[in-house]
Amino acid sequence: RVLSFGTAQYGQLGHGYSSGKQLSDELRPRYIDQLSHVRCTCVSAGELHSAAVTTDGDLYTWGDGFCGQLGLGDKRPQLTPVQVTDGGLEDEVVLSVACGSRHTLCVTEDGEVFSCGLGHFGVLGRTFTPFEYDTDAAIVEMGEGGEEMLPPPMAMAPAMNETAIVPPSEESNSGGAEEGGRGQIDAGLAAHLDLIANITLDDSSDQCIFKVIDALEGVVIIGASAGHRHSMVLDNKGGLYTFGSGAAGALGHGDTLRQEFPMKVMEFVHTNTSIMQMSAGVDMSMAVSTSGDVYAWGKSEGGRIGLGASAGNVSIPRRVYLKPSCDAEVKALDVECGYMHSAIVGLDGTVHMCGGVGIDGADDGQRLEYSLDETAAGKPVPLEDFNIWHRLPEPKAVVTKERWKKYGKYELKGRRAMMEETSKWGA
């Protein structure tokens, strides 16, 4: 069974509308009723959409689909899980799925990788046909290159001080242009209205359907991770491939260049290091080797990847050392990257946090006052009194059944019911 909780603004929880025709947020985990008829083996949550894989190898997606990331052949949002049947997955058995910011990756039992969604940064790892609408707003919202993320513009239009003249035919219909600018509208508003008028949720672009990444032909892929604007895939021999935006060195190739197709991280080849697990975040990446060593690269501001508070951007994988709980060094089992932080799970069950998320942007990152000394700033910090191998009884809410209250001769069940039982009370 699959449970979801959090914000439901874009339908990413999969519960659909509430009784009041609203998308209600969930503060506690809640079962997704639309998936009650299947058993799921893999789930993934992206920024605005979600996905799940069943024991039969079927793929379900739901949430925002404005960039085609649901793989359903259009850009419509889905408030409840919908099985993916279009595109190249029709006859495939899916093993795992990974949701990114505006794209989705899935791995089949044949070792192939399929991708869909916004492919502007190269995150799809394949060629694609353009959308039938202008995607500049979505691209600027995600940030281009090394720039910070910007709010989406009203429309890609001429400068705001320029004006668009209404054609004479329209002027005559409105009574003609008058002094003071009547008959003229702002160019930005005109472009925005034109964009809205031409946007359709039907789109023939192959970014809206899952297609195989041909560049990986002959390579057996066993895992994938979708980040904010880059992607990572892992082959059955421990080789790691990255593609997409190279901002902050997140691809691990020693530069910040964009890669449109999967490219092997040669640093691991040169050091004869085999990878068993990886995670792509927001312009940062982490991986765990088969020997339990942790490697990280990309943006390291605020200690978010455990390489220190002043490491700067790292374009080549570097070793992350975990603070030992005893004399022996802690080996890792799993890593997960987020936006301003990451988590490392040790083989002994300990959880180590890197970076942090504050109440507002000024509090993001791991601050120096949280560390005992400057040398420990920005390094992984183990969580106290927490171990993933120690199972604790799940807390359950105690619901007490309140009995009828009596107020004199009458009960809360009402005067009518009480009068019908006069024989019980006498008189």
Side-chain angles (χ1 to χ4, degrees), residues 34-49:
Q34 287 74 11
L35 291 175
S36 60
H37 64 289
V38 296
R39 296 183 65 85
C40 296
T41 58
C42 178
V43 294
S44 180
E47 184 174 349
L48 304 175
H49 71 294

Side-chain angles (χ1 to χ4, degrees), residues 113-133:
V113 183
F114 290 74
S115 62
C116 69
L118 182 63
H120 173 78
F121 297 99
V123 294
L124 300 185
R126 59 175 173 85
T127 58
F128 53 87
T129 56
F131 283 122
E132 295 178 4
Y133 68 92

Side-chain angles (χ1 to χ4, degrees), residues 5 21 26 58 67 82 104 148 153 160 162 232 268 276 327 363 374 399 405 411 414 422:
F5 56 97
K21 285 295 181 180
E26 297 292 341
D58 296 328
C67 292
V82 177
T104 308
E148 294 297 325
M160 297 300 290
E162 298 180 10
M232 307 169 69
F268 293 129
M276 69 174 184
D327 295 336
D363 294 331
E374 293 187 6
V399 180
K405 294 182 180 179
E411 294 183 359
T422 54

Side-chain angles (χ1 to χ4, degrees), residues 356-406:
V357 179
I359 298 176
D360 54 41
D363 294 331
D364 287 343
Q366 187 185 71
R367 291 177 291 180
L368 182 60
E369 56 264 32
Y370 295 152
S371 305
L372 297 178
D373 55 72
E374 293 187 6
T375 59
K379 301 297 179 64
V381 177
L383 297 182
E384 298 181 0
D385 302 323
F386 185 81
N387 193 294
I388 63 171
W389 304 132
H390 298 169
R391 294 197 61 180
L392 300 176
E394 181 181 354
K396 297 182 179 180
V398 179
V399 180
T400 58
K401 186 176 181 180
E402 189 175 4
R403 302 185 63 184
W404 291 106
K405 294 182 180 179
K406 293 183 178 181

Side-chain angles (χ1 to χ4, degrees), residues 302-324:
R304 66 188 73 184
I305 55 176
L307 292 177
S310 58
N313 294 336
V314 180
S315 59
I316 295 179
R318 288 174 52 183
R319 177 83 179 275
V320 178
Y321 294 92
L322 302 182
K323 183 179 179 181

